[in-house]
Amino acid sequence: MPRNPYIRDNANEQNLIEDLTVEVIRAMGRDVYYIPRTLNAQDALYGEDSLSTFDAAYLLEMYHEDSNSFGGEGDIVSKFGIDVRDTAAFRVARRTFEQYVTKKDGVLTRPNEGDLIYYPLSGSLFEITFVEHENPLYQAGALYSFVIFVETFVYN
């Protein structure tokens, strides 16, 4: 069945939805620091880098998807001490990310897995485990935000 010829994806509606997305994240979100990872000696076989460095930090506003608490298993007491296993999901507007990160570092076009997020409100440092770049799926024919899934960063 062909599409309706009177309803098309229009740049004006796309700009409106993008403006509303940015405004909601600014109004309801929190300032966090996005800290990209620099790979120094990546192992081609395992795909890991034991010598990663974190040299820059970018202040962005992100919306914490679950504003009540962090998810995950919480705090676990084991024979090795207290293990904090918090998870969270943050939403950042594409335009905000491009404005504050991509303009300063042209290599970073989106948040990447392995990068860090520092959440000053709780003093927590999180590692990005997955970046959903198609949620919500193409409203009016475009994508306006990233959903970033994170878990507590484990120092080693």
Side-chain angles (χ1 to χ4, degrees), residues 77-95:
V77 179
S78 68
K79 63 182 179 181
F80 301 109
I82 296 177
D83 189 16
V84 179
R85 297 183 184 174
D86 290 334
T87 62
F90 293 99
R91 182 175 300 270
V92 62
R94 284 177 173 263
R95 183 169 66 189

Side-chain angles (χ1 to χ4, degrees), residues 137-152:
L137 184 64
Y138 295 100
Q139 293 177 323
L143 297 169
Y144 310 102
S145 64
F146 298 109
V147 179
I148 301 170
F149 296 95
V150 298
E151 63 183 24
T152 305

